[in-house]
Amino acid sequence: MGRTLRVRFATHASALKVLNLNPLVSNEILHQAFSQFGIVERAVVVCDDRGRSKGYGIVEFSRKNNAQTALQQVNDGLFLLGR
């Protein structure tokens, strides 16, 4: 939707916080998109109390180096997330 996807490290060492998500992105889409960088243990789009996306999510990898690779690729603009 014309917005730049922003990714940064979350509090968990091998987790990333993904910002500016399209409201139509689901947990499954988020998981599938980031699994190209390694084993994703959990991918969750954060929702409000009505189940609507808040526009960000958390992706937890099994290994920290996979999270680092994903962070680098996204920040270099080599990654697109869509439906």
Side-chain angles (χ1 to χ4, degrees):
M1 296 189 71
R3 297 185 301 186
T4 302
L5 190 67
R6 292 180 32 209
V7 178
R8 65 178 86 163
F9 281 108
T11 54
H12 186 279
S14 60
L16 299 175
K17 184 174 186 178
V18 184
L19 306 170
N20 292 333
L21 288 177
N22 182 305
L24 300 176
V25 173
S26 65
N27 294 346
E28 294 79 19
I29 292 171
L30 191 62
H31 186 282
Q32 184 179 18
F34 278 87
S35 65
Q36 67 181 300
F37 302 110
I39 297 171
V40 174
E41 291 184 351
R42 186 169 76 114
V44 178
V45 175
V46 178
C47 296
D48 65 14
D49 57 353
R50 294 184 178 184
R52 292 181 299 205
S53 172
K54 288 188 169 185
Y56 71 95
I58 303 292
V59 179
E60 292 180 8
F61 288 91
S62 62
R63 302 184 69 197
K64 184 177 181 178
N65 68 329
N66 297 136
Q68 291 171 328
T69 300
L71 180 67
Q72 185 66 45
Q73 294 286 320
V74 172
N75 287 337
D76 287 346
L78 303 174
F79 178 76
L80 294 175
L81 178 63
R83 310 183 337 164

